Amino acid sequence: MNKRKIILSILGVLLIIGAFFGMKAIADSKKSFRPKAEKVVKTVFTQVVMNGTIPIVVPANGNLRAKNRVELYAEVQGVFKGGNKLFRAGEEYRKGETIIRIDAAEYAASVQSAKSDLYNQLTSIMPDLRLDYPEIFSKWESYLNGFDMNTNTPELPEMTSKKEKFFISGRGILTSFYNIKNLEQRLSKYRISAPFNGILTETLVTEGTLIRAGQKLGEFINTDIYELEVAISKTYSDLLKIGEEVALTNLNDSKTYKGKVARINGRVDQASQTIKAYIQVNDKTLREGMYLEAQLDAKEEKDAIEIDRNLLLENNQIFVVRDSVLDLINVKPVYFTDKKVVIKEVPDGTTIMAKPLIGAYTGMAVKIFENDTANING
């Protein structure tokens, strides 16, 4: 029995030793297959610089406003009388056509009464003129014969001597005449006529309304000529010229209009450091309030190039390619737009990156895209 245990113990030890050496052999037989790291050279798009003249176009935008516009206010009180056209927004009127008529029957009667008094005064002096001033009698008689109660009072005859002036003034005729002219002037305010061809854009009263003096009645504009107010940087304000043509486009760039700079404000806005410019434009399809974008030709920058704005790095640097290696050079930006930037001090023949490269750094090895033969210039 003891002999059997000894044999089993020996076999167990041999089995353990064999297993140990077997595992070691298996571990030693394994090989680590690690792929050799390959150096990746990224491809870049480049352009060869050729400096030229770059036009500086200043974008601006704004809403159209009619150049000729009138806010209609009442200067007298009365009931708004209806006319041939309804007083409504969108109604068109020709120059001189009545827009608003206020009932003036009561006031017109007082004017007629004053005119009647003047006529009676003139009639009363005619016998004295015949006797004392026969040399001026004929002209005053002609004036009296031409006096029409249904029309505006005509101007008094010219008085050529002091005696004539004293006589006419002493009878109160001058005072009565100027009182009537004042009444007639006020009577004309009961009718508001169109100062030009145009259209009503706002109406605040309707026919039959009692209108009070000083009340706003509406707004009337001329639809032939519009102005676009734009704010431009003071940097380019002195480069704009009155009369310069400007290209205008609508919001979706579906139509282009031609305008010209009509006025330039002489004051700089303290908050935005901009100056207001006014562009005049006329087109039958335009409407007040339309949003338009303007491209103002401010100046031309010589010895410069234009690149995408995202190619310009901090500290005013851009990437160039020298012997298939990236490098940085300093540049001088002179004008920015939302997508482009105009830069200077880039030597002709310099190969620059044309598209941004993620992870680019100085000294990075790159490969130039073979079909990339474009030049960048003005």
Side-chain angles (χ1 to χ4, degrees), residues 78-115:
V79 177
F80 182 12
K81 294 179 64 176
N84 296 329
K85 296 181 179 180
L86 291 176
F87 187 70
R88 300 289 187 274
E91 197 70 61
E92 295 183 358
Y93 292 87
R94 306 294 297 175
K95 182 178 180 180
E97 190 175 357
T98 300
I99 300 177
I100 294 175
R101 189 185 301 276
I102 301 172
D103 186 7
E106 182 179 351
Y107 192 82
S110 65
V111 175
Q112 291 296 92
S113 175
K115 292 175 69 174

Side-chain angles (χ1 to χ4, degrees), residues 78-188:
V79 177
F80 182 12
K81 294 179 64 176
N84 296 329
K85 296 181 179 180
L86 291 176
F87 187 70
R88 300 289 187 274
E91 197 70 61
E92 295 183 358
Y93 292 87
R94 306 294 297 175
K95 182 178 180 180
E97 190 175 357
T98 300
I99 300 177
I100 294 175
R101 189 185 301 276
I102 301 172
D103 186 7
E106 182 179 351
Y107 192 82
S110 65
V111 175
Q112 291 296 92
S113 175
K115 292 175 69 174
S116 177
D117 290 341
L118 176 61
Y119 186 83
N120 292 335
Q121 287 179 300
L122 291 170
T123 304
S124 66
I125 67 169
M126 296 310 293
D128 293 335
L129 286 177
R130 181 187 292 273
L131 293 175
D132 299 332
Y133 303 98
E135 68 277 8
I136 63 173
F137 173 78
S138 59
K139 68 178 180 181
W140 284 97
E141 184 181 33
S142 298
Y143 179 81
L144 188 61
N145 292 334
F147 197 95
D148 188 351
M149 296 291 292
N150 296 318
T151 62
N152 286 337
T153 305
E155 293 293 327
L156 294 174
E158 183 181 359
M159 290 171 278
T160 56
S161 66
K162 289 183 178 181
K163 288 183 178 181
E164 183 181 5
K165 290 179 182 179
F166 292 156
F167 179 80
I168 298 298
S169 178
R171 297 299 180 95
I173 292 176
L174 289 180
T175 301
S176 298
F177 172 78
Y178 288 113
N179 284 338
I180 292 173
K181 299 304 288 186
N182 182 52
L183 293 174
E184 289 178 340
Q185 182 65 28
R186 187 165 183 80
L187 181 62
S188 67

Side-chain angles (χ1 to χ4, degrees), residues 215-350:
Q215 180 180 353
K216 184 177 180 180
L217 308 177
E219 193 172 72
F220 185 73
I221 67 168
N222 184 346
T223 56
D224 293 334
I225 304 176
Y226 293 93
E227 283 189 340
L228 181 70
E229 180 186 284
V230 296
I232 59 173
S233 172
K234 67 175 183 178
T235 306
Y236 301 103
S237 61
D238 57 337
L239 302 175
L240 289 177
K241 297 179 181 178
I242 294 177
E244 182 179 352
E245 289 193 356
V246 180
L248 303 171
T249 56
N250 57 7
L251 187 59
N252 54 6
D253 293 331
S254 62
K255 190 164 184 180
T256 303
Y257 308 92
K258 287 185 178 180
K260 64 178 181 179
V261 180
R263 305 191 312 279
I264 300 174
N265 200 336
R267 186 184 67 178
V268 177
D269 186 277
Q270 294 299 315
S272 61
Q273 290 296 294
T274 58
I275 291 179
K276 300 288 186 182
Y278 299 87
I279 302 168
Q280 183 173 301
V281 57
N282 59 310
D283 192 282
K284 295 297 183 182
T285 62
L286 294 174
R287 294 291 183 271
E288 179 162 286
M290 283 182 62
Y291 177 89
L292 293 182
E293 295 181 346
Q295 301 295 327
L296 303 170
D297 295 329
K299 62 179 294 188
E300 292 184 342
E301 195 68 52
K302 297 181 179 180
D303 298 326
I305 60 173
E306 187 179 51
I307 62 173
D308 289 341
R309 189 165 179 170
N310 53 12
L311 293 174
L312 183 65
L313 307 177
E314 295 181 3
N315 301 323
N316 296 333
Q317 293 180 318
I318 62 172
F319 276 112
V320 299
V321 180
R322 292 174 178 165
D323 299 327
S324 299
V325 176
L326 291 183
D327 195 7
L328 287 172
I329 64 170
N330 296 319
V331 297
K332 179 183 178 182
V334 293
Y335 179 69
F336 291 88
T337 67
D338 56 342
K339 296 181 180 179
K340 298 285 186 177
V341 58
V342 178
I343 61 175
K344 303 186 71 171
E345 299 181 359
V346 182
D348 287 340
T350 302

